[in-house]
Amino acid sequence: MNRETTYLTDLAAVLWPCGGLLGPGDGEVGRRARRDRGQQYLPVPSARDPRVILPVYDRSAATRGIASFSRRHSAADRLRAALLAAAFTTGLAPLVLRDRLYVGAGPGIEHALASALDRELAVAIHLGPPRANRKPVLLLLTPGGRTVGYAKVAVNDLTSRLVRDESRALRRLADARLPDVTVPRLLHEGEWNGYPLLVQEALPVGYQTDRPTRHQLLRCVTQIADLAGSRTLHLAESPYRRALAERILRLGARPEAAPLREALVGLPDVRLPFGAWHGDLTRWNIAGTARRAFVWDWERLAMDAPVGFDALHYDLNECVQAGVHPGVHRWLDSGPRLLLDPLMSGTGLGAHAVSTVMALYLIDLATRYLHDRQDECGASMAAVDDWLLPALEVLRERAAHEAARTG
């Protein structure tokens, strides 16, 4: 077993207390499972590299799960998803994909969700790539294939905190005024197998929506920033800076802590607008029409950060799609243009503070990665000493020049 198959069997123990076994569709494990009348799921593309878990004999749930979980991905990913959906539609998928996750006949997560929402449900499960904050996201469907919502189940201490934080964020956002942004409603909050669980409604995201344009993105960013009202402060006197310094201090003896602390201390004491930020605004968490943005995954919502962080985060994640190092170089050029866009002018962010905001964003992001131990999962973006610290040094020099020009 590799790390991913171990993760899959550990996950099965959380979602189905009766446990799950991995095996081929035509092996002894499968024959025993069929005798026990348990359920069968397909880890796709394989048990050694699972990204989604689909019910073997529910074609509707499987095909809807493939479509839902691939919508924001690349063209190549969408093509692979279309071929996989065709394989389920024609009944070929169980023949082509050999790996199975066999689940015992006892009550599992599906039964708990059906009881909580008081309706019969089928589920398809998204896992995503290995990350410290990786957790199952369950697409909930009626027997007729209509989407009811999405459920998130924690699997460890970090994901427990994030699921609770998202529940708290959705409760807060239910009363928020976001003129052009739609947020999912919280449908259920509880526990499953000792871990926190939430269910949120499915947003009307489909073929009429797409990735946001620059205008839509910045309109969304500024409205989120104003969730609790924004204020302009000198960096040195801001609660945000004190909180960030304390987070770096809690990194202890990690070798990255010292350069992050030095970078924070060395930034100029410019005046900045502070407000809320989504915390993980990427192509996977936002879709737009000409008039509205639909935004989900609010587990990182914070109410006090330099305005512009969300725009920088979205842009960085777009830039690195073709490679981290060339992407970061592009971001160092595109980030300032985003922050200086006329749509951002009403926030109070001036040209004297652009590089300071970008540097603060990288310090914040690095601190998050290190606290979450993302580097232990092998994610390329989590290697902060490889790309982030060099980029931060460039921004520190820029910040000093910008502050001196306007000082």
Side-chain angles (χ1 to χ4, degrees):
M1 294 178 71
N2 69 351
R3 186 168 64 177
E4 287 296 276
T5 52
T6 299
Y7 172 82
L8 197 53
T9 52
D10 290 345
L11 176 63
V14 173
L15 297 181
W16 300 281
C18 48
L21 293 172
L22 290 171
D26 54 358
E28 175 58 31
V29 173
R31 287 190 290 272
R32 189 167 68 247
R34 285 190 289 273
R35 286 196 301 270
D36 295 340
R37 298 182 181 276
Q39 298 191 62
Q40 295 184 44
Y41 287 88
L42 283 170
V44 178
S46 70
R48 296 182 62 83
D49 184 29
R51 292 296 178 266
V52 292
I53 305 174
L54 303 172
V56 173
Y57 297 116
D58 191 328
R59 296 183 187 180
S60 176
T63 53
R64 288 297 299 272
I66 294 164
S68 296
F69 295 137
S70 64
R71 190 172 289 129
R72 300 290 149 211
H73 291 185
S74 67
D77 287 334
R78 291 197 299 272
L79 176 60
R80 283 192 289 269
L83 293 173
L84 183 60
F88 269 101
T89 301
T90 59
L92 290 175
L95 303 176
V96 176
L97 302 171
R98 288 181 49 78
D99 291 342
R100 299 287 190 278
L101 176 63
Y102 297 100
V103 177
I109 186 64
E110 308 94 327
H111 305 86
L113 291 169
S115 176
L117 299 182
D118 193 25
R119 63 196 313 164
E120 188 178 348
L121 295 173
V123 302
I125 305 170
H126 181 251
L127 302 181
R131 294 183 299 170
N133 57 321
R134 186 190 203 184
K135 59 185 140 345
V137 177
L138 285 70
L139 172 65
L140 311 183
L141 300 158
T142 66
R146 187 174 67 83
T147 301
V148 175
Y150 290 88
K152 293 185 179 182
V153 186
V155 295
N156 54 31
D157 290 343
L158 171 60
T159 54
S160 293
R161 174 172 62 80
L162 292 173
V163 170
R164 292 191 186 100
D165 286 349
E166 183 158 20
S167 294
R168 188 159 44 248
L170 292 177
R171 288 197 302 271
R172 178 167 192 161
L173 290 164
D175 299 320
R177 183 177 179 275
L178 291 166
D180 302 307
V181 180
T182 298
V183 176
R185 291 182 301 119
L186 182 64
L187 300 180
H188 174 73
E189 181 181 7
E191 283 197 352
W192 171 250
N193 206 6
Y195 290 104
L197 158 75
L198 71 83
V199 182
Q200 57 190 278
E201 72 173 340
L203 294 177
V205 175
Y207 294 107
Q208 285 78 38
T209 62
D210 205 343
R211 295 176 196 166
T213 64
R214 180 191 185 95
H215 179 87
Q216 291 164 342
L217 173 67
L218 293 180
R219 185 175 62 186
C220 178
V221 167
T222 56
Q223 290 184 16
I224 292 172
D226 203 38
L227 267 171
S230 58
R231 55 180 177 165
T232 301
L233 300 169
H234 279 282
L235 177 59
E237 68 184 26
S238 66
Y240 170 80
R241 188 194 181 284
R242 290 194 294 274
L244 181 56
E246 290 170 2
R247 288 167 56 203
I248 295 172
L249 184 63
R250 291 199 299 273
L251 291 174
R254 289 206 59 147
E256 303 92 344
L260 291 175
R261 187 163 48 246
E262 179 185 344
L264 180 60
V265 170
L267 289 176
D269 186 24
V270 293
R271 285 179 63 80
L272 300 173
F274 292 86
W277 77 303
H278 175 279
D280 193 21
L281 200 63
T282 66
R283 66 163 72 175
W284 300 280
N285 299 334
I286 181 173
T289 65
R291 296 187 176 183
R292 297 205 65 76
F294 301 94
V295 182
W296 57 98
D297 281 1
W298 291 87
E299 63 189 24
R300 301 281 189 177
L301 176 66
M303 304 309 293
D304 184 33
V307 173
F309 271 19
D310 274 328
L312 294 173
H313 190 74
Y314 186 94
D315 190 43
L316 177 62
N317 278 274
E318 287 298 295
C319 287
V320 300
Q321 291 302 306
V324 172
H325 288 279
V328 170
H329 286 295
R330 284 195 299 274
W331 178 79
L332 288 171
D333 291 331
S334 60
R337 292 195 295 271
L338 269 180
L339 297 186
L340 291 172
D341 189 283
L343 277 171
M344 297 291 291
S345 60
T347 67
L349 178 61
H352 68 288
V354 164
S355 293
T356 299
V357 170
M358 293 180 70
L360 287 168
Y361 163 71
L362 287 188
I363 296 170
D364 194 301
L365 187 67
T367 306
R368 176 197 295 183
Y369 283 160
L370 295 170
H371 272 295
D372 292 353
R373 299 189 176 278
Q374 295 282 12
D375 53 326
E376 295 178 5
C377 298
S380 58
M381 289 292 288
V384 300
D385 56 342
D386 178 54
W387 68 270
L388 192 149
L389 294 180
L392 185 54
E393 191 60 36
V394 172
L395 290 170
R396 285 178 60 191
E397 294 180 8
R398 287 187 191 176
H401 288 307
E402 288 173 358
R405 285 200 305 268
T406 57

